[in-house]
Amino acid sequence: MKRIVFVALGSRGDVQPLAVIAGRMAVSDERAQVAFSSHEELSSVCQRLAPRAAFRPLAAPCFLGDSQDLENPVCVVDTKGRRRQEWIQVIQTARDADLLVCNLFAMPPCIHLADKLSVQLVVCSPSLVPYRLPDTFESVFQQELPDIWEAVMSARTCVSWQDICEWLWPIFTEAHGQFR
């Protein structure tokens, strides 16, 4: 039996589309064991949208910080490493996957886990990625990751340079260095 683990991080609006897909997958493929991992505070929404998927709660909250604290604003995207514990929880809840499916906020831990487990990863986004890579990304990538650059440019990988430039580039930044 194939084990498909969906991982969705972020606000309800980020999690809900993946919960709908997980729910449909759980109903349409009886041979698959479908699990859905997300923030515990969204469990009622997730279980309503994907009742046949096993819910695997993450203790980490959707939002970090206190909205009244101007020095530490509420944050969904973590650029300072405060979400590391959440990423560890993701890995713990998804390590039995034969296939990983995640949203963009869950991509950093999931892409590394999929690589480590040698399983396929599908990244889903209900909207266009709202950011672009830094202007110096290509030259820095060539200098700091020459082996990966050569492999991608010589088509020895299933990932193209276009894939990296369009949506994979954040995993090659320093914020994700500890997971690489």
Side-chain angles (χ1 to χ4, degrees):
M1 183 165 285
K2 188 169 204 158
R3 293 177 307 275
I4 304 168
V5 179
F6 287 79
V7 181
L9 302 178
S11 67
R12 178 180 173 169
D14 300 310
V15 170
Q16 205 166 329
L18 214 59
V20 170
I21 295 169
R24 284 299 299 150
M25 178 70 73
V27 170
S28 67
D29 189 348
E30 294 177 8
R31 297 169 300 162
Q33 287 181 331
V34 178
F36 191 81
S37 182
S38 189
H39 307 285
E40 189 169 30
E41 65 199 82
L42 298 175
S43 64
S44 62
V45 172
C46 296
Q47 291 173 343
R48 182 174 47 80
L49 295 172
R52 294 184 66 192
F55 185 69
R56 298 177 177 179
L58 300 173
C62 294
F63 298 99
L64 292 173
D66 178 0
S67 60
Q68 305 303 314
D69 182 356
L70 297 178
E71 290 188 29
N72 298 301
V74 171
C75 179
V76 175
V77 178
D78 180 26
T79 59
K80 295 185 171 73
R82 296 184 304 165
R83 289 222 174 259
R84 187 173 195 281
Q85 189 59 40
E86 175 183 66
W87 292 0
I88 291 169
Q89 289 176 19
V90 165
I91 290 168
Q92 291 168 341
T93 64
R95 62 172 22 136
D96 65 336
D98 295 316
L99 171 67
L100 272 170
V101 182
C102 70
N103 66 358
L104 291 173
F105 288 120
M107 185 178 70
C110 287
I111 199 160
H112 299 295
L113 180 61
D115 181 53
K116 191 74 167 166
L117 297 176
S118 297
V119 299
Q120 288 184 320
L121 171 67
V122 176
V123 181
C124 298
S125 175
S127 60
L128 295 174
V129 179
Y131 49 80
R132 63 184 192 90
L133 72 158
D135 293 334
T136 61
F137 180 78
E138 186 172 346
S139 61
V140 171
F141 189 99
Q142 282 179 295
Q143 290 173 352
E144 294 183 6
L145 303 166
D147 294 341
I148 297 173
W149 170 262
E150 185 180 315
V152 169
M153 298 315 282
S154 65
R156 289 184 303 187
T157 65
C158 61
V159 175
S160 70
W161 182 247
Q162 183 177 351
D163 292 330
I164 291 172
C165 290
E166 287 179 359
W167 63 279
L168 276 174
W169 66 268
I171 68 165
F172 294 103
T173 62
E174 192 53 42
H176 299 244
Q178 66 185 354
F179 289 97
R180 278 196 313 276

